[in-house]
Amino acid sequence: MLRLCWRLLLGFAIILGLFFVRVPMAIAQIQPSELSQVVREIELIDTLRSTLSSNFKDTKSKLNSEPEVCQLIAQKLDRLSCNHDWQVKQIASQYRNPENAPISSREKLALEKFANNSELVGFWERDRQGIRYFQRIDLEASCLACHGAKHKRPPFIPKNYPHDLAYDFQEGDLAGMYSVWIPQQKGTIQDVIPDRHFCRRIGQYLAMQSHQSSP
């Protein structure tokens, strides 16, 4: 019986260690194939944006809620960040969501670079922490339903975004850019906060140990 208690306590301690200790991962070099994948993934998302937004090109009545395309693109970018250990964002000087505002001088300079060269589609930059890719987002005619004249914006925009700046655009204007940062050092395993799933796994482990030790 005493041996069983020690095994249960040891197993519990091991699981706690796995969940609460930050374990640094190996530093991995950025491979050319990963750079190609960045461009490919952003191109796919930009194509999806154009395809979905085309549904609003001939919209005559005002929209009552945020178009699904905006939410879907944001979700796709978040998923890229999670799946590849990248930091993927949309950034704009005339932003609607404050989360898309340029923060660093690097981001502001990148936007200026696109604004000063309408032929520039994308470019790379390297720093000591990793590699960054920027790709322009040009406004399409279908986007004018929400990003056209300020007084013609759908009612949900000033209601949900009182500090909105993303209006008075013309077709072909620079709307913003995609930003992808690939860290040279791949991240560390994040702390895991215990929740009901964690507690259930602990219970399952202890039950299994008890079953294996019973005669």
Side-chain angles (χ1 to χ4, degrees):
M1 184 64 183
L2 183 60
R3 181 178 299 178
L4 171 60
C5 291
W6 276 110
R7 289 183 64 184
L8 294 178
L9 288 174
L10 178 61
F12 187 75
I14 292 173
I15 294 177
L16 283 177
L18 289 174
F19 275 85
F20 290 101
V21 175
R22 294 178 65 88
V23 182
M25 298 176 66
I27 295 177
Q29 293 295 322
I30 300 173
Q31 301 298 320
S33 58
E34 186 172 12
L35 303 183
S36 299
Q37 185 179 12
V38 167
V39 178
R40 185 167 61 250
E41 295 286 0
I42 293 300
E43 285 291 346
L44 287 173
I45 287 178
D46 197 54
T47 299
L48 178 63
R49 179 199 294 273
S50 297
T51 302
L52 294 178
S53 63
S54 64
N55 297 327
F56 304 101
K57 187 172 184 179
D58 299 319
T59 299
K60 300 298 182 182
S61 59
K62 288 189 175 182
L63 300 171
N64 296 317
S65 61
E66 189 165 359
E68 182 182 359
V69 57
C70 303
Q71 303 173 29
L72 182 59
I73 294 302
Q75 292 170 5
K76 290 281 188 181
L77 296 177
D78 288 343
R79 194 172 303 163
L80 275 183
S81 295
C82 295
N83 291 346
H84 299 285
D85 200 16
W86 303 337
Q87 184 187 70
V88 187
K89 300 189 296 181
Q90 296 179 92
I91 302 174
S93 297
Q94 288 181 250
Y95 54 84
R96 176 152 292 160
N97 187 334
E99 293 182 359
N100 296 335
I103 299 174
S104 67
S105 58
R106 184 186 300 274
E107 292 173 347
K108 294 175 182 178
L109 288 173
L111 285 169
E112 287 182 15
K113 196 168 183 176
F114 283 122
N116 294 330
N117 185 355
S118 60
E119 300 299 318
L120 181 62
V121 175
F123 63 94
W124 296 90
E125 286 188 352
R126 177 184 287 276
D127 56 32
R128 286 180 294 181
Q129 285 75 42
I131 298 178
R132 299 173 190 272
Y133 177 66
F134 301 106
Q135 181 170 316
R136 73 184 303 120
I137 302 174
D138 286 332
L139 198 90
E140 300 184 22
S142 54
C143 301
L144 294 175
C146 291
H147 295 279
K150 181 179 181 179
H151 68 281
K152 292 184 177 180
R153 293 175 300 167
F156 78 88
I157 293 178
K159 179 181 178 181
N160 297 343
Y161 303 98
H163 303 294
D164 174 41
L165 299 176
Y167 52 79
D168 286 342
F169 282 101
Q170 300 293 327
E171 181 181 358
D173 285 349
L174 176 68
M177 67 182 182
Y178 302 102
S179 169
V180 184
W181 179 56
I182 312 171
Q184 186 71 38
Q185 178 178 349
K186 298 304 180 180
T188 57
I189 298 175
Q190 299 299 312
D191 290 340
V192 178
I193 300 175
D195 56 11
R196 62 179 182 274
H197 302 296
F198 170 77
C199 296
R200 184 171 66 247
R201 288 194 291 271
I202 290 291
Q204 291 171 344
Y205 177 84
L206 296 179
M208 180 181 65
Q209 291 292 89
S210 176
H211 177 74
Q212 291 176 349
S213 301
S214 60

